[in-house]
Amino acid sequence: MHYNWNWAIFRELSPDGVHTYWDTLMSGLAWTLATSLAGWVMALALGMLVGVLRTLPSPWLRRAGTAYVELFRNIPLLVQMFLWFFVVPELLPRAAGDWLKALPNAPFLTAVVCLGFFTSARVAVQVTAGIEALAGGQKLAALALGLTRRQTYRHVLLPLALRIILPPLTSEFLNIIKNSSVALTIGLMELTASARAVQEFSFQVFEAFSAATLIYVLVNIVVVAGMAWLERRLALPGTLASGGGR
Amino acid sequence: MTLTRLFALLSIACCAATASAQELTGTLAKIKRTGQITLGVRDGSVPFSYLDDKQQYQGYSVDLCMKIVVQVQKQLGMTDVKVVMNPVTSANRIPLMANGTIDLECGSTTNNAERQKQVAFAPTMFVIANRLLAKKSSNIKSLADMKGKTLVATAGTTTLKQMTILNNEQKLGMNIVVGKDHPESFLMMETGRAAAEANDDILLAAQVASARNPSEFQITAEALSVEPYGIMLRREDAPFKQAVDAALARLYQSDDIQRIYNKWFMSPIPPKGINLNFPMPPQLKAVLAKPTDSPDPAAYAAVPPAQKAATKK
């Protein structure tokens, strides 16, 4: 391969004349973390809501929940990103569309909304699965104790279900970090886009993407370690989540 | 055995003899061994290299590359070379060239000194100027009018880099957003995500011509740069470069080049049958008369001040 390796590239000044290429990568990392964390908060909240909907007695609410899941889970993320950014503002009334497009950090906000909806559909499926995995007696016992349905979910079902689904939630969290790179298609300068910017300006593509890969791996290791700690902290003896106790 | 087949066999034998006398290296050896050549092509660089409605890659650069392929095939004494079209983008064309995925890049690639550190270029095939494209209603006549506004440029282009530098140097305070390819950059400008698009004038002219309502847009008169376009190939592969240079020199001397130019720039082109009506710029005429692969803009035309400022770095 004819390629001039230059690992010193990260110390060189980027074309903006102020920051080094390393700074470019770090700013990309910051956008990646901000986008995935904000998206994750939204995904957890919506995912729990929709996941619960799908376990309620009312068939209409269950169907609404399922429709939501199928809508957001089945359209490729790249397409959703494009739809949210380019199509939705054109469908709105003119003034609202222009307001959306003029927002500062429009790509960031769009990416958060898009990742939030996409991931919430996947979280919802897991929340439903977690609730359904609980012994059926849990719900009946709670209701028999005089708890309302809301209280049953809040104090009994959700706390247990969330513990069970922590490992798949960890995967989803890792996914949202990686998926945030799709936002580069709408102009968000996250980590992958920054690596690309470094290669575009310096033509040192392999160095730029090696660095980005390493940074993604490090971030993911931190997430996995954090979630493992959380799992241990939250484990209840005698429940499914405690693993060996069965 | 017919006479023509006998003749073909003889010519193969003769060329095989010359080839074995001088061991083939690099890309030529690869083409001979695999029987195929891989062209890097673009999805949306109208009219240089793009996909038409029948999902075929075509354009001015693709035509030039096919001429090169024919000459290389002759030189190698091969009866058939399979041409593989490999789509590339502004951002991945250089790595794909460096790692051997593509042998020739037939797009709209600026030849500059920095890129020549990683790749080589065939003799210049087009000369462009960077300009701005905006809606007439936004009243943008020059880069100075862009102060504090949003500008879009395509990822991986020299334009994006130049705009980043100018933005910083002239304290324009522009918000520069990035389109992943030329059609997306245009979409961002068309939908109002950006007040103007910075790009090569010929690509902007093509975008306007194929827009739903061409009269809505205008290209600024102010030229921000002069840039030679070249077909890209791998560095340090002198025999292949010689073959490519010779093929283009031959083409530039023939009437074919005028015919190919007229086909793409002066006639209706697929898929919509638009006509760019872009007569050959004098800089290009000069290059065709005296082919060069120089990355120096001054070798082609007077360099605009905006470009001088950006290349000082």
Side-chain angles (χ1 to χ4, degrees), chain A residues 198-231:
Chain A
V198 171
Q199 76 112 341
E200 280 152 16
F201 292 148
S202 69
F203 302 110
Q204 304 298 142
V205 54
F206 296 103
E207 293 86 340
F209 279 96
S210 305
T213 308
L214 263 178
I215 295 172
Y216 274 116
V217 169
L218 286 177
V219 168
N220 283 2
I221 287 175
V222 170
V223 169
V224 169
M227 293 296 270
W229 173 82
L230 199 62
E231 237 174 279

Side-chain angles (χ1 to χ4, degrees), chain A residues 11-183:
Chain A
R11 288 202 302 271
E12 282 175 26
L13 219 52
S14 70
D16 71 7
V18 190
H19 300 97
T20 61
Y21 284 121
W22 179 250
D23 296 336
T24 309
L25 282 184
M26 286 300 107
S27 129
L29 175 62
W31 281 113
T32 289
L33 292 179
T35 313
S36 359
L37 288 176
W40 184 240
V41 170
M42 182 178 155
L44 267 186
L46 276 174
M48 277 200 272
L49 188 74
V50 176
V52 166
L53 275 189
R54 294 176 73 220
T55 61
L56 291 178
S58 154
W60 285 106
L61 288 179
R62 284 212 304 270
R63 267 174 222 152
T66 305
Y68 177 96
V69 166
E70 296 308 328
L71 175 69
F72 287 109
R73 192 171 59 168
N74 289 337
I75 305 174
L77 183 58
L78 192 67
V79 177
Q80 290 195 32
M81 211 49 103
F82 185 88
L83 291 176
W84 281 110
F85 194 67
F86 285 112
V87 181
V88 170
E90 305 301 322
L91 297 178
L92 296 173
R94 185 70 187 255
D98 286 348
W99 174 80
L100 254 185
K101 288 189 245 179
L103 279 181
N105 295 324
F108 168 71
L109 296 172
T110 312
V112 169
V113 168
C114 175
L115 282 169
F117 277 120
F118 181 78
T119 311
S120 71
R122 305 172 56 93
V123 170
V125 173
Q126 287 161 8
V127 170
T128 308
I131 293 172
E132 283 169 355
L134 295 174
Q138 294 275 8
K139 192 197 304 187
L140 299 178
L143 291 171
L145 274 175
L147 297 184
T148 62
R149 196 167 290 281
R150 179 187 287 270
Q151 287 167 332
T152 305
Y153 274 98
R154 187 169 155 221
H155 296 295
V156 181
L157 300 181
L158 275 175
L160 285 172
L162 287 178
R163 282 185 172 88
I164 297 175
I165 61 169
L166 260 183
L169 281 186
T170 307
S171 301
E172 279 314 317
F173 193 19
L174 296 178
N175 273 342
I176 203 172
I177 294 172
K178 286 175 283 182
N179 284 343
S180 67
S181 65
V182 173

Side-chain angles (χ1 to χ4, degrees), chain B residues 264-267 275-279:
Chain B
W264 295 107
F265 297 98
M266 301 296 290
S267 332
N275 187 338
L276 295 179
N277 272 321
F278 197 90

Side-chain angles (χ1 to χ4, degrees), chain B residues 11 26 44 60 78 106 109 157 163 177 232 256 265 284 296 313:
Chain B
S11 64
Y60 175 72
M78 299 167 73
C106 317
T109 299
T157 59
M163 293 304 139
V177 294
M232 207 163 67
D256 272 0
F265 297 98
L284 180 57
D296 181 10
K313 301 245 151 184

Side-chain angles (χ1 to χ4, degrees), chain B residues 194-209:
Chain B
E197 177 193 355
N199 214 330
D200 306 347
D201 51 6
I202 178 64
L203 298 180
L204 294 177
Q207 289 177 344
V208 171

Side-chain angles (χ1 to χ4, degrees), chain B residues 60-131:
Chain B
Y60 175 72
S61 312
V62 176
D63 276 4
L64 297 191
C65 279
M66 295 310 287
K67 292 279 180 191
I68 297 173
V69 172
V70 169
Q71 288 300 319
V72 167
Q73 179 184 336
K74 261 193 203 156
Q75 187 184 335
L76 292 174
M78 299 167 73
T79 48
D80 185 39
V81 170
K82 191 173 157 229
V83 176
V84 180
M85 300 284 188
N86 190 80
V88 300
T89 65
S90 299
N92 69 17
R93 58 194 163 180
I94 290 181
L96 288 178
M97 176 60 71
N99 76 8
T101 306
I102 56 175
D103 300 315
L104 281 175
E105 195 254 356
C106 317
S108 46
T109 299
T110 296
N111 172 359
N112 64 26
E114 213 154 11
R115 283 180 180 161
Q116 287 216 0
K117 288 183 197 152
Q118 298 293 6
V119 292
F121 286 90
T124 298
M125 54 150 178
F126 207 86
V127 183
I128 58 100
N130 271 340
R131 290 176 211 270

